[in-house]
Amino acid sequence: MFHKALWMRNQKLGSPAVWGIYISLFLFLPYSFFGKAQTMLTQKNDPYADAPENYYMNFHFTGADIVLFLFLIVGLAALLVGSERTTHATDLTFSLPFKRKDIFLSKWIFGVGHIITGLLINLLLCMLIVKFTILSEVTDAAFLFKFMMIVIPFSIAIFSFSLFIGTIAGSLISQLVLSGIFLIFPLGFISLVVSFLEYHGISINHNAPSTVLFNNLINSFTLPIPIIEFRYYVDLSDNSFTDFSHIPYVMLFIPLAYTILSVVSGTWLFSRTKNENNGRLLVFEKGRGFFTFGVILCFALTFGMLGGSIFGDYDSRSLIGYYLSATIGGVLAFFMLKKLIHFRMQFGK
C-alpha cells in the first residue's frame, strides 16, 4: 500500500493542507507557549506594585487553541479525495498500476503520518519549553501527555471519517460540507430531538446522572468535542489549584471504532466508486432517498426549533409555530436538494 509514486501524488494534492497543519500547530502550541513564558517572565521581573506575587503564577491551555488544525485535517482529506473528483483527476489516478485499495490506504497513511508527526514534534517542543522556561515554576509538562492521549486518536478519527465521507461525496465542496455536518451530527441531532420532545411536553432533567452520562457519551461520539473541551488551568498565586478536563480512557475506544469503520468502509466504497457522478453531490445513486429523507428531517427539526421560539416563549411554547416552521424547513430542504443533487461541479476539464 506504500508506493513512492502514490506518496508523491498525495504530496502534490495535499501539500497546502499539510503545510497549514504544521504551521498552525507550531503557532498555536510551541510559539504560543514560548510567548506565554516570555510574558510571565516580563511580569515577574517588572511586577505591579500593589500585588507583585499575583501576576505570573497562573497558566492556562485549552484544546480550542488548535481548532484551526481540526479544520485543516478535514481540508487535507478533501484535497486528497474531493479535489480529484472535482477536477476529474481520478481518471489519471485509477489508470495508475495500483489497486484502488492501495490508492485509498496510501492517502490514509499519508494523512495520518503527517498528523502524528506534526502533533508529536510540536507537543515535544511544548514540553521542552515548559521544562526550561519560567513555566516550570507554575506547571508540569505532564498535562501535555494527557492532551496527547486525546488529541492524537481523535484527530486520526476525524481525518479517517472525513476521508470516508470523500468516498461517497462527489466533489471537494460536498466532501467539506458533509464532513463538517456529520462530524457534529451526534450532538446536533440529539439537541434537535430534545427540542422536539420539550415542545411536546416531555421535559428532560439535564442534571440527572443518567442524562449527564448520556451527554458525555454523545460528546465523545462528536469527535471534535473532546479535543475542543480539553482545558488545563493552574493558579498558584492566591488560592492554589489546578484544573483540567478528564476523559475516561474507555472513551478512547470511540475514536478507535470510528477509525476502523471509516478505513474499512472507505476502502470498500473507494474500490467500487464510479467516475460518472464526479462533481455531483453524491457519487452513489443508491442511498440518495435515505440521504434526502435525513436532510429534510433535520431541516424540519431545525426550523421547528427556531420557529417555535419565535412565535412562542420559554414558558408557553408554540406548537403551531413549531409545525409551521418545520413544514417550511422541510419544503425548502426538498427543493434545495432537488437542485443540488443534480448539480455538477467540475474544474480542469
Side-chain angles (χ1 to χ4, degrees), residues 12 51-52 70 130 150 207:
K12 182 179 179 181
L70 303 182
V130 171
I150 295 174
N207 296 320

Side-chain angles (χ1 to χ4, degrees), residues 25-313:
L25 285 175
F26 178 76
L27 289 178
F28 295 108
L29 288 174
Y31 187 79
S32 173
F33 274 51
F34 188 72
K36 291 176 181 177
Q38 291 300 103
T39 301
M40 291 172 65
L41 184 61
T42 302
Q43 290 178 349
K44 181 181 181 181
N45 293 332
D46 188 19
Y48 292 100
D50 53 345
E53 71 280 7
N54 290 340
Y55 291 98
Y56 70 98
M57 300 301 285
N58 62 76
F59 170 81
H60 74 277
F61 169 73
T62 68
D65 290 350
I66 62 167
V67 68
L68 177 62
F69 161 72
L70 303 182
F71 282 110
L72 289 169
I73 290 176
V74 178
L76 175 59
L79 286 176
L80 291 176
V81 178
S83 65
E84 283 194 322
R85 295 198 188 284
T86 305
T87 60
H88 290 269
T90 46
D91 296 335
L92 170 63
T93 303
F94 289 165
S95 68
L96 297 174
F98 304 109
K99 295 179 180 177
R100 292 189 180 188
K101 177 187 72 174
D102 292 344
I103 294 173
F104 181 81
L105 291 177
S106 73
K107 295 177 185 294
W108 183 78
I109 292 174
F110 175 83
V112 170
H114 280 295
I115 289 169
I116 293 177
T117 303
L119 284 170
L120 288 180
I121 290 175
N122 286 287
L123 287 172
L124 178 61
L125 288 175
C126 286
M127 291 177 187
L128 294 175
I129 291 171
V130 171
K131 180 74 174 178
F132 295 106
T133 65
I134 192 175
L135 293 179
S136 62
E137 295 184 18
V138 295
T139 186
D140 188 286
F143 80 92
L144 286 168
F145 281 109
K146 296 182 181 296
F147 182 60
M148 193 184 300
M149 291 291 291
I150 295 174
V151 69
I152 289 181
F154 277 92
S155 297
I156 292 174
I158 290 173
F159 173 75
S160 304
F161 183 73
S162 301
L163 209 60
F164 159 72
I165 292 295
T167 62
I168 59 176
S171 70
L172 175 71
I173 300 299
S174 62
Q175 184 180 353
L176 284 172
V177 173
L178 293 178
S179 296
I181 291 173
F182 285 115
L183 280 172
I184 62 171
F185 182 78
L187 185 60
F189 187 70
I190 290 298
S191 300
L192 295 177
V193 171
V194 169
S195 172
F196 174 83
L197 294 176
E198 290 182 340
Y199 268 99
H200 290 78
I202 303 174
S203 60
I204 305 295
N205 183 2
H206 294 278
N207 296 320
S210 58
T211 306
V212 173
L213 179 63
F214 181 74
N215 287 338
N216 290 336
L217 189 64
I218 292 299
N219 283 344
S220 296
F221 273 105
T222 310
L223 294 175
I225 298 298
I227 299 175
I228 294 173
E229 286 193 339
F230 181 89
R231 67 186 187 283
Y232 176 80
Y233 184 69
V234 57
D235 188 342
L236 303 180
S237 59
D238 189 10
N239 298 316
S240 298
F241 70 95
T242 301
D243 179 37
F244 56 90
S245 57
H246 296 273
I247 178 172
Y249 288 131
V250 68
M251 293 296 185
L252 296 180
F253 282 107
I254 292 175
L256 178 64
Y258 261 101
T259 301
I260 293 174
L261 289 175
S262 297
V263 173
V264 172
S265 304
T267 304
W268 189 81
L269 289 171
F270 195 77
S271 300
R272 289 158 178 78
T273 190
K274 297 178 180 178
N275 290 338
E276 60 263 30
N277 286 324
N278 283 347
R280 296 188 187 277
L281 181 63
L282 298 174
V283 173
F284 298 98
E285 297 189 1
K286 287 184 178 178
R288 281 184 181 176
F290 179 75
F291 177 80
T292 302
F293 171 77
V295 172
I296 291 174
L297 176 65
C298 289
F299 262 73
L301 291 173
T302 304
F303 272 66
M305 180 178 67
L306 298 175
S309 63
I310 292 174
F311 289 107
D313 54 42

